[in-house]
Amino acid sequence: MGGSGDVGGIKTVMVVIAMQAEALPLVEALDLVEDDLSAVFPGGVPWKKYSGVLDGLNVHIVVPGKDKALGVDSVGTVPSSLLTYAAGVALQPNLIINAGTAGGFQAKGANIGDVYVATEFANHDRRIPIPVFDKYGIGTIVAIPTGNLIKDLDLKEGKVSTGNSLDMTLQDEEHIKANDATVKDMEGAAVAYAANLLAIPMISLKAVTDIVDGTKPTVEEFLENMSTAASALSRTVPLVLKYVSGKNVADLDCS
Ligand code: ADE
């Protein structure tokens, strides 16, 4: 991904969060204010934006908002990639962060409440068994290297596999394993795709709500641990924002 943060350091960060319940504790922790978006995005989009300044860093949290027909959070790949692209064009951030929840694989060392930095993004539900389209479907994007950030903030790292379902079919499982994923989410690869189009560097921070290869039913475990994960994010995201503030993207890595 590009290096718009390389000139003069990171001054503006856009944080993309799919669910209101994941975003609001962070909005409060960072003392951000909701902005009126009607002039920026005409057409009645349900998107929300909260902004403020943290230690000299301009911070914008953008949320895809509630589905216009059903009133639930607009989770999944399409809303998050549209929002990332449109808000990315409007805000021109030096860095995009996709923060949210994910299922974790205990076989890969994941525990409830862990926050993972993605090293790679891929899709597990875009199966196109035609040469080259198969690779396009998986759509692997290697994340920007952030070894220093991971080490200095004592975070975990792993590959993210993205799909539009909370549950996991046997076919999904096969593809997630092929993607060598440690966490499974519903937005990471889509946000990475849009960030890549914009050539804006992107980091993903995913807090684990459920153990995909564990014994508890996913929905039950997800709902039970949602607030633990939201608290983990509202602790970790401000630390990451303070860490990246004023640094060059290249300084986030040790190599
Ligand atoms: N977000 C939280 N848990 C998830 C899971 N198991 N799959 C996809 N997205 C999630």
Side-chain angles (χ1 to χ4, degrees):
M1 272 186 259
S4 51
D6 287 346
V7 182
I10 297 168
K11 294 190 177 64
T12 302
V13 176
M14 178 173 91
V15 186
V16 182
I17 304 183
M19 295 183 77
Q20 197 87 350
E22 296 163 344
L24 290 183
L26 196 53
V27 166
E28 207 162 298
L30 295 171
D31 205 16
L32 305 183
V33 173
E34 184 169 355
D35 303 309
D36 178 9
L37 291 184
S38 53
V40 191
F41 303 121
V45 293
W47 304 342
K48 301 225 176 244
K49 179 163 97 68
Y50 306 87
S51 63
V53 179
L54 176 74
D55 291 354
L57 181 74
N58 300 307
V59 178
H60 303 275
I61 293 185
V62 292
V63 179
K66 303 290 179 188
D67 178 81
K68 285 170 99 172
L70 300 171
V72 294
D73 289 313
S74 306
V75 299
T77 58
V78 172
S80 65
S81 61
L82 270 177
L83 171 65
T84 302
Y85 188 81
V89 168
L91 300 170
Q92 292 291 313
N94 307 114
L95 180 72
I96 293 172
I97 297 177
N98 174 218
T101 59
F105 288 85
Q106 61 186 6
K108 294 272 195 185
N111 300 299
I112 302 289
D114 283 347
V115 179
Y116 274 89
V117 177
T119 52
E120 202 170 285
F121 305 93
N123 297 277
H124 55 258
D125 62 356
R126 305 198 318 180
R127 295 176 288 273
I128 315 170
I130 301 171
V132 191
F133 282 103
D134 51 0
K135 287 196 176 59
Y136 163 77
I138 296 164
T140 303
I141 293 176
V142 177
I144 59 164
T146 53
N148 284 338
L149 168 89
I150 291 165
K151 180 167 53 72
D152 292 345
L153 297 185
D154 199 19
L155 298 168
K156 288 182 139 183
E157 61 179 317
K159 295 179 184 174
V160 173
S161 192
T162 300
N164 275 297
S165 300
L166 185 68
D167 68 3
M168 182 174 73
T169 65
L170 286 174
Q171 220 171 3
D172 286 340
E173 185 176 5
E174 198 182 298
H175 287 262
I176 290 168
K177 282 194 176 138
N179 290 342
D180 190 29
T182 300
V183 296
K184 164 182 178 287
D185 79 346
M186 295 174 68
E187 290 87 20
V191 174
Y193 176 78
N196 217 0
L197 290 181
L198 295 167
I200 298 174
M202 180 253 188
I203 295 174
S204 154
L205 298 169
K206 295 284 158 157
V208 174
T209 47
D210 51 278
I211 299 300
V212 186
D213 52 347
T215 51
K216 283 196 178 171
T218 297
V219 170
E220 197 180 296
E221 203 175 21
F222 169 72
L223 295 173
E224 197 177 294
N225 294 311
M226 182 69 197
S227 68
T228 305
S231 307
L233 286 177
S234 54
R235 272 194 313 276
T236 307
V237 174
L239 293 176
V240 170
L241 291 170
K242 284 182 185 159
Y243 186 88
V244 302
S245 179
K247 284 195 173 66
N248 292 321
V249 170
D251 297 335
L252 304 181
D253 191 46
C254 34
S255 57

